[in-house]
Structure formats: C-alpha cells, structure tokens
Amino acid sequence: GGLGRLGGRCGAVTGACLLIGLKHGMYIPGDTGAKGKTYEVIREFIARFEERQNSSICREMTGVELLTADEADFERMQPICNAAIRDAVEIVGEMLSL
C-alpha cells in the first residue's frame, strides 16, 4: 500500500531499493563511492521499473487513495500489485545478478 498505506512509493520498489542498498551500500563510514554507486543503481532501477509500470507511486499505479480504500478497491488493486512485484523482482534480479 505504498509504505504504511499512505499511497507513496510502491512497496515492491522500496523492497528492491533495500536489496540494492544491501549489495552496494556504504559499509565503511565515509565511503562516498559506495553511496554514489547505490544511488546510481537505485535511479536505474526506478527508471526501468517506471518504464514497465509508468510510475513507482502506489496511488498513481493503482488509482486508489489508500486511506479511504474499501475491500473492492483492494481486490481491484491485486493484479496491479502482483504485476509490480513481479516486475520489481525481475528487474532487481537482473541488475544484481540474483
């Protein structure tokens, strides 16, 4: 639901960004090269995800305002969310060679 059902960044995108951070993140304080690499890979991931989904923002992808959503809204969102999860997993898998 866009992190906490606020309709923000898609949870599948957020999860993928966490994986990218685990692989490329700054483990040594001050390692700005690792930090820069992480940001670069995240930007590429989001661009590739948005190429497929047209957005990485939950409410834009689903057309649902989650704070007022009802059960029918959640049922309608299910195939959209499933496709977003599939795309996020495929893209991050390719990018991180998982």
Side-chain angles (χ1 to χ4, degrees):
L3 286 179
R5 296 183 59 174
L6 299 175
R9 188 76 68 184
C10 171
V13 170
T14 302
C17 291
L18 289 170
L19 287 173
I20 292 166
L22 285 171
K23 178 154 185 178
H24 296 292
M26 184 173 63
Y27 297 103
I28 300 167
D31 184 358
T32 57
K35 188 175 187 176
K37 174 68 173 178
T38 302
Y39 289 168
E40 175 187 322
V41 175
I42 287 172
R43 278 192 298 274
E44 180 184 342
F45 169 80
I46 291 174
R48 289 175 63 178
F49 183 88
E50 288 180 347
E51 218 173 82
R52 293 187 189 193
Q53 292 290 327
N54 298 314
S55 180
S56 61
I57 304 300
C58 181
R59 78 175 67 79
E60 293 174 3
M61 294 168 62
T62 63
V64 173
E65 185 56 56
L66 293 168
L67 292 176
T68 58
D70 60 21
E71 191 169 326
D73 290 324
F74 288 113
E75 286 180 26
R76 188 170 47 79
M77 288 172 57
Q78 195 63 47
I80 297 165
C81 295
N82 289 344
I85 293 165
R86 181 201 63 232
D87 286 347
V89 168
E90 285 177 5
I91 296 165
V92 81
E94 292 166 6
M95 291 180 71
L96 299 181
S97 300
L98 300 175

